[in-house]
Amino acid sequence: MDTTADTKIRSELAEVGLRWANCISWNQSAAALYQQAIANGEAQVAEGGALVVSTGQHTGRSPNDKFVVRDEATEKTIWWDNNRAMSRAHFEALKEDFMAHARLKSLYVQDLIGGADPAHALPTRVVTELAWQALFIQHLLIVPKSRKGFSPKLTIIDLPTFKADPARHGTRSDTVIALDLKNGLVLIGGSQYAGEIKKSVFTVLNYLLPAKGVMPMHCSANLGTKKDSAVFFGLSGTGKTTLSADPNRTLIGDDEHGWSKNGVFNFEGGCYAKVIRLSAEAEPEIHATTRRWGTVLENVVMDPTTHVVNLDDGTLTENTRAAYPLEAIPNASATGMGPVPKTIIMLTADAFGVMPPIAKLTPQQAMYHFLSGYTAKVAGTERGVKEPQATFSTCFGAPFIPRHPSVYGNMLKELIARHKVQCYLVNTGWTGGPYGTGHRMPIKATRALLGAALSGKLAKARMRKDETFGFAVPEAVAGVPKKILNPRATWADKKAYDAQAKKLAAMFVNNFKTFEAHVTDDVKKAAPKA
């Protein structure tokens, strides 16, 4: 870095309190970061060229260690029932200790963009103490065409070796993710898991964009040959990344998007895909990225002698991940933008085995299921889980929702009505019985049903009304076994199905009590019959 650039970046970092760094690597290329990660002992190279890293004890996000500064700017705008508050005094003490901890360290700085639509882009400066994390976020956010005049509106400082002090900083443990929304500063300490960085950007955009009339969404998106955009809402493990990576459609993005008057736009410039038991046959595009130079593989097990990775090995975690730039997917969008969506897909992995593989939703039902954000955990995914457990994560992303869910729900309902968007609920979970008895929904059938929905054919199909959940289910779809469309028909014990369906319906109703005061009567009537 030349002397002028060095002086400029040091001056700008000093403005946020970061002084006396030993060495600052500013906007280095992927190749340089790759080389430094290896030289620093942070990573190893796998056969094929991917960079393999371990994130230690934190192999996923730490939602209980995430805080928002509670001050005059956030007091009335944050959904405090869902977000942990940190006092201004505690944050300032944390910031002081953070900056002291960074002294004499080598730091990696990346100036990037969150949001492909220039009208709503968030210039973001990310400072890390690990080279591989700088490479990760370079993949995941958008690299600006020019950094001339770059002025960050958000600064994220990630120091995994920093340990928070609960007594001094008001934290729960020595791990902390603290967001100062008023001043555009995020401090991440005590965790190497890089997903905390990208999700912090998403959380800030979720806070800022509704005030601009833009709907932020935890969804993937793709584009058909007729310029028909589709978005796929879904929690982890429901197929959001897999199903949007369709070789017959252009991938806009796999995780986070905005919906403005200009259409849908990706927040990111890359993908962060789960790769546990990834199949080259079922998901060839994503699988190929695990053998690509520059891809960052988090917590993927690798043979120490041959350096061959084993994607089927969940020894370290079930949450193994691959981070790669969007251009690694052959049919990815070069702009990260698309027109107003024509179709909304809400994905659920129903381990109870009672949801149909696809159902058509009214606008009211779409809002109901969006606010519910249902999927299910299965045995073995967490300690103590021995049978399917319903998981309700509002807006399909509760950990990243700073404002009240009704803000996002009402925006979505209005957008659906204004643009006459077709909405579907798709079950990628179990059929023929619950988890342990039934089997996973065939991906071939799911893809055929999605094809019918996205082409518009399903909107004209003959439908039956589901007795429990009230939504419309197609009676026949070309290329899909008729029996699979009626989940009750796939169960050997029909009475067991009825009991299971009523059980899940009651869970929906009980969960939705939180939102009843914030929705209209027509949305309340979209509830299942418990």
Side-chain angles (χ1 to χ4, degrees):
M1 184 164 61
D2 63 50
T3 305
T4 303
D6 183 68
T7 301
K8 180 178 184 296
I9 188 64
R10 286 183 182 275
S11 175
E12 291 180 355
L13 291 176
E15 290 179 9
V16 295
L18 196 58
R19 299 178 177 87
W20 310 112
N22 178 49
C23 177
I24 296 174
S25 300
W26 191 25
N27 293 327
Q28 285 192 313
S29 67
L33 293 170
Y34 192 95
Q35 185 177 39
Q36 290 192 34
I38 297 167
N40 296 344
E42 301 171 9
Q44 293 181 293
V45 181
E47 181 189 53
L51 201 66
V52 179
V53 301
S54 170
T55 62
Q57 66 172 331
H58 291 286
T59 57
R61 291 179 297 98
S62 299
N64 292 330
D65 295 306
K66 183 177 178 180
F67 298 86
V68 176
V69 176
R70 190 167 192 164
D71 55 21
E72 70 282 359
T74 59
E75 177 63 42
K76 295 182 179 180
T77 55
I78 296 296
W79 181 31
W80 293 114
D81 289 346
N82 184 64
N83 292 271
R84 287 174 172 77
M86 176 178 281
S87 70
R88 171 59 64 184
H90 277 140
F91 183 83
E92 292 303 326
L94 177 69
K95 179 181 173 182
E96 179 183 347
D97 293 348
F98 232 79
M99 303 313 174
H101 184 80
R103 289 181 180 179
L104 303 182
K105 289 187 179 297
S106 295
L107 300 175
Y108 300 88
V109 181
Q110 290 287 310
D111 290 338
L112 303 162
I113 300 293
D117 186 342
H120 306 294
L122 179 66
T124 301
R125 174 165 289 157
V126 181
V127 183
T128 69
E129 65 174 311
L130 296 176
W132 79 258
Q133 288 188 329
L135 175 61
F136 167 93
I137 202 62
Q138 186 185 91
H139 287 341
L140 266 294
L141 291 184
I142 299 168
V143 178
K145 293 180 180 178
S146 172
R147 291 190 172 94
K148 185 177 181 181
F150 184 90
S151 178
K153 301 292 188 241
L154 173 66
T155 299
I156 299 174
I157 303 175
D158 191 318
L159 305 177
T161 59
F162 178 86
K163 302 298 182 184
D165 178 355
R168 174 169 164 77
H169 304 132
T171 59
R172 186 188 67 95
S173 70
D174 60 9
T175 299
V176 63
I177 305 96
L179 289 77
D180 180 359
L181 295 172
K182 178 181 178 181
N183 296 303
L185 179 62
V186 177
L187 304 177
I188 302 172
S191 172
Q192 291 188 49
Y193 185 68
E196 299 286 13
I197 305 173
K198 91 176 207 90
K199 288 305 185 185
S200 293
V201 178
F202 184 41
T203 303
V204 172
L205 284 167
N206 278 341
Y207 178 72
L208 296 175
L209 291 180
K212 300 174 67 177
V214 177
M215 169 76 179
M217 304 176 291
H218 186 212
C219 70
S220 57
N222 63 22
L223 183 65
T225 56
K226 297 180 180 179
K227 303 301 179 185
D228 51 316
S229 294
V231 298
F232 301 74
F233 290 102
L235 298 168
S236 179
T238 58
K240 183 158 46 71
T241 297
T242 298
L243 295 173
S244 59
D246 184 333
N248 300 312
R249 295 173 66 86
T250 299
L251 178 67
I252 298 173
D254 83 324
D255 197 36
E256 302 163 2
H257 293 79
W259 183 346
S260 73
K261 63 180 182 181
N262 300 325
V264 64
F265 63 97
N266 195 357
F267 288 169
E268 302 182 309
C271 300
Y272 191 39
K274 287 188 74 171
V275 294
I276 189 70
R277 289 177 284 279
L278 191 69
S279 164
E281 291 72 31
E283 303 169 80
E285 294 85 6
I286 300 173
H287 190 275
T289 69
T290 65
R291 294 179 159 275
R292 178 186 184 276
W293 180 91
T295 292
V296 177
L297 295 177
E298 277 187 342
N299 303 311
V300 172
V301 174
M302 181 180 73
D303 186 289
T305 303
T306 65
H307 282 226
V308 173
V309 298
N310 183 357
L311 300 180
D312 294 328
D313 192 333
T315 302
L316 297 176
T317 178
E318 289 284 305
N319 190 37
T320 56
R321 295 274 182 168
Y324 49 88
L326 202 61
E327 63 197 35
I329 300 297
N331 60 330
S333 168
T335 65
M337 298 177 67
V340 169
K342 289 188 176 180
T343 310
I344 289 175
I345 306 294
M346 296 184 186
L347 300 168
T348 180
D350 174 33
F352 292 85
V354 298
M355 290 278 197
I358 197 165
K360 192 173 186 301
L361 305 177
T362 65
Q364 295 76 20
Q365 289 170 334
M367 184 175 179
Y368 186 93
H369 285 278
F370 178 70
L371 289 176
S372 298
Y374 165 70
T375 192
K377 297 175 185 176
V378 297
T381 56
E382 289 184 9
R383 185 179 300 173
V385 178
K386 297 181 180 180
E387 62 180 25
Q389 291 186 0
T391 298
F392 294 95
S393 185
T394 188
C395 306
F396 294 97
F400 327 115
I401 300 299
R403 297 179 184 269
H404 193 276
S406 61
V407 172
Y408 309 97
N410 284 316
M411 289 184 77
L412 184 65
K413 182 183 176 185
E414 192 275 330
L415 286 166
I416 290 170
R418 188 197 313 170
H419 299 289
K420 297 181 173 58
V421 183
Q422 297 293 315
C423 301
Y424 295 93
L425 183 71
V426 171
N427 174 23
T428 60
W430 277 257
T431 185
Y435 172 83
T437 301
H439 57 85
R440 197 74 189 255
M441 198 72 69
I443 192 168
K444 184 178 180 181
T446 301
R447 290 195 183 280
L449 291 166
L450 281 176
L454 297 177
S455 68
K457 293 179 181 178
L458 204 57
K460 303 172 184 176
R462 185 172 178 175
M463 301 277 184
R464 68 173 179 85
K465 184 178 180 179
D466 187 278
E467 292 183 3
T468 302
F469 296 97
F471 39 48
V473 180
E475 294 185 347
V477 177
V480 179
K482 190 172 183 179
K483 185 177 180 180
I484 207 173
L485 293 170
N486 185 349
R488 190 174 190 273
T490 67
W491 282 52
D493 187 339
K494 311 303 185 198
K495 289 184 178 179
Y497 168 86
D498 293 338
Q500 191 84 312
K502 289 180 181 178
K503 178 181 177 181
L504 181 57
M507 291 178 182
F508 265 95
V509 171
N510 185 59
N511 171 75
F512 204 78
K513 289 177 181 177
T514 304
F515 309 117
E516 286 183 348
H518 303 278
V519 300
T520 54
D521 288 341
D522 57 345
V523 174
K524 294 177 191 176
K525 291 177 182 177
K529 293 181 179 179

